[in-house]
Amino acid sequence: MKMKLKLRYCTSSLQLGILISLYSLFSACTEIEYTEIDNPAYLRVFNSLNYEVKLENRLERPPFLTMLIDPVFDEEGIPVSAAIVSDFLDQRDKYAAPFPTHSAGSTSKKNPEYPGKENVLVGPILNGFDLSSWAQVPSGKHRIVFMFRPINEIPFFSLEKRLKKDVAIDENIDLQAKEIYTLNVLQKDYMTKENGIILRQENFHKLPLSDSLVYFNMYNYSAYGFQSSLEGKDGSNTTGSLHYGILDNMNVYLSLYPTVSNDIYGGGYDSKTAIKNYDGLFISSLVRNTESNEVAAYSSFPLYRGPSSNGIKTDMIQFISLIAPGLSYAQNPYGRRDAQKGGEFALLTFHKDGVDALRQIASAYFPNMIISLHSGEYNPRSFSTVNTIEIVNGKAYLTTIQRKYAPPVYK
């Protein structure tokens, strides 16, 4: 049985906190009706078409999309409605935070993910994990269509007919009840410009994960032919190597450091300061694959380790090095500064905000995989997370999933 739920949504003018958002309710409120969904699945969608339209690829459509689930078409083959619509779906942000960050305070209609800014029912706390960044959708089989659309603020169904004919992707998906799905729209072949989707059924909520360990897994969803197409291009204005992509097969190494310096070139982050047993620790191999929707195995590292950890908080930071097979971590010829074009090395760093030196040298930099915030009587207290790192052509993306935690106690 489906029931109508009336929920009140208020546009807010102030967002306080990092993970606990308190909104001051002194602006206009509108009443929105939601339909309760029986046996929902939980869906999160990223537009990972991250190319730029320039002179050399001017015939490609700008990667600005409308998502239609179970669309209805008229006699001319033009969509006129859909069971679920996500309009203005823009290229994804490099960091998908562990809580909804786009639902208030933005004046742009551009949406960097679904549900993102959409006012829809979202997922619950499931087995201790916060699913508020996933939308509830009806389980079962669906047709999902992504349409290219103009970069403007006109809703898709209000566009001229000629602007509603450009299909990017048309697929069928099957969503199981109470399961968690992440869907990526991406380019599968750099030369032919073939686009497609990867619908990944997540399993983090089913695994026996420890609160004292931080988890991450990795995917290389780069298009076939991307890395080799960039080998001869000039990189004089590029820092870090990820701009050129990585080889189809890479080895993954993890290094952990206490936050001892903001100057990576001054010896702050090297084998002398690395936390014991975490100086270039081999983690796994990473293989490019845009066909499989299998979940990659999770690797982990301790939440509390090193001299800056006291069992309550830590400011430990993480480096992940991607190095081609045949090259060693200790004798990596490229160093952390070099932007090489062969796809043999890339560096990802995860750190505290404000460590500007790291941003200058890393191929990609992100917030720390450890979350520290006011919880209980401790301000801050550090918490482990579950993380997914996706490399798509010359960019990397981090999605962080948080656990349930105790609210702050104010004395």
Side-chain angles (χ1 to χ4, degrees):
M1 178 179 181
K2 298 184 183 300
M3 299 173 57
K4 290 286 186 180
L5 300 180
K6 288 189 176 181
L7 302 181
R8 187 167 297 275
Y9 170 76
C10 302
T11 56
S12 73
S13 60
L14 182 61
Q15 182 176 355
L16 299 177
I18 298 177
L19 296 178
I20 301 176
S21 300
L22 302 177
Y23 297 99
S24 56
L25 305 176
F26 50 77
S27 55
C29 296
T30 57
E31 194 173 77
I32 298 173
E33 284 193 353
Y34 296 94
T35 300
E36 183 178 334
I37 300 174
D38 294 331
N39 297 315
Y42 308 114
L43 180 66
R44 191 173 189 179
V45 179
F46 293 110
N47 174 7
S48 297
L49 296 174
N50 59 12
Y51 59 83
E52 297 180 37
V53 178
K54 300 180 179 179
L55 181 62
E56 58 266 28
N57 66 330
R58 60 190 178 278
L59 298 180
E60 285 192 80
R61 301 287 290 136
F64 196 51
L65 305 174
T66 295
M67 180 186 76
L68 307 174
I69 296 181
D70 296 330
V72 176
F73 293 83
D74 66 13
E75 64 279 0
E76 298 179 51
I78 296 174
V80 293
S81 65
I84 297 174
V85 179
S86 177
D87 207 353
F88 310 106
L89 191 58
D90 202 5
Q91 296 180 47
R92 67 184 296 183
D93 287 341
K94 64 183 293 185
Y95 178 52
F99 57 96
T101 57
H102 310 294
S103 57
S106 173
T107 58
S108 171
K109 289 189 176 182
K110 292 182 178 179
N111 198 4
E113 63 179 83
Y114 175 80
K117 298 178 182 180
E118 302 285 353
N119 297 315
V120 298
L121 292 175
V122 297
I125 301 292
L126 184 61
N127 292 343
F129 291 98
D130 184 352
L131 298 185
S132 58
S133 292
W134 274 260
Q136 293 188 34
V137 298
S139 56
K141 295 181 179 180
H142 301 279
R143 181 181 181 183
I144 186 168
V145 178
F146 290 89
M147 308 289 298
F148 285 117
R149 55 150 300 136
I151 302 177
N152 58 33
E153 295 195 347
I154 301 173
F156 178 78
F157 292 114
S158 299
L159 293 169
E160 299 176 41
K161 276 192 172 184
R162 63 184 180 85
L163 300 176
K164 294 186 287 186
K165 297 180 178 181
D166 202 347
V167 177
I169 295 162
D170 189 344
E171 296 276 359
N172 293 312
I173 59 175
D174 191 358
L175 306 177
Q176 303 300 310
K178 304 299 176 65
E179 295 294 335
I180 303 170
Y181 295 90
T182 301
L183 188 151
N184 271 286
V185 179
L186 43 78
Q187 191 175 77
K188 294 195 171 186
D189 192 307
Y190 186 73
M191 307 309 294
T192 66
K193 310 306 179 186
E194 174 194 357
N195 298 321
I197 64 172
I198 291 180
L199 179 67
R200 193 173 64 233
Q201 183 176 331
E202 307 288 3
N203 65 358
F204 56 83
H205 60 299
K206 300 179 180 180
L207 300 176
L209 304 182
S210 170
D211 289 344
S212 62
L213 296 175
V214 181
Y215 295 88
F216 68 95
N217 61 2
M218 298 188 68
Y219 302 88
N220 183 358
Y221 286 155
S222 298
Y224 172 78
F226 172 81
Q227 192 281 320
S228 59
S229 72
L230 301 179
E231 285 186 4
K233 292 193 175 181
D234 175 39
S236 57
N237 295 321
T238 303
T239 56
S241 60
L242 193 58
H243 171 79
Y244 297 100
I246 55 175
L247 297 180
D248 288 357
N249 293 277
M250 300 290 281
N251 288 330
V252 179
Y253 298 86
L254 174 68
S255 300
L256 302 178
Y257 304 93
T259 305
V260 295
S261 170
N262 284 0
D263 183 8
I264 195 168
Y265 302 131
Y269 301 98
D270 55 28
S271 59
K272 296 179 181 178
T273 58
I275 292 172
K276 185 178 180 180
N277 298 325
Y278 284 93
D279 178 23
L281 175 68
F282 175 75
I283 295 296
S284 64
S285 297
L286 180 63
V287 179
R288 188 192 68 81
N289 193 331
T290 59
E291 301 303 323
S292 174
N293 58 4
E294 294 296 316
V295 175
Y298 285 96
S299 302
S300 64
F301 58 87
L303 173 61
Y304 300 114
R305 182 63 66 93
S308 62
S309 301
N310 60 8
I312 297 172
K313 64 172 289 292
T314 178
D315 58 1
M316 177 174 63
I317 67 172
Q318 308 91 45
F319 283 17
I320 291 179
S321 299
L322 305 174
I323 302 177
L327 297 178
S328 72
Y329 174 84
Q331 297 177 335
N332 173 17
Y334 299 109
R336 290 171 173 166
R337 290 178 186 255
D338 297 341
Q340 54 81 37
K341 305 172 188 177
E344 295 183 332
F345 171 70
L347 178 67
L348 317 178
T349 67
F350 308 79
H351 52 84
K352 297 194 304 181
D353 289 340
V355 186
D356 293 328
L358 302 185
R359 302 183 182 191
Q360 299 303 316
I361 60 89
S363 299
Y365 59 89
F366 300 97
N368 206 302
M369 284 191 273
I370 298 170
I371 291 177
S372 296
L373 72 159
H374 188 176
S375 177
E377 62 183 19
Y378 299 107
N379 188 15
R381 184 165 191 168
S382 297
F383 292 90
S384 60
T385 58
V386 176
N387 302 271
T388 291
I389 301 160
E390 294 162 313
I391 294 174
V392 183
N393 294 347
K395 297 180 181 179
Y397 302 95
L398 172 66
T399 301
T400 297
I401 304 158
Q402 72 183 25
R403 302 169 186 268
K404 186 178 180 181
Y405 57 88
V409 172
Y410 299 94
K411 296 182 178 181

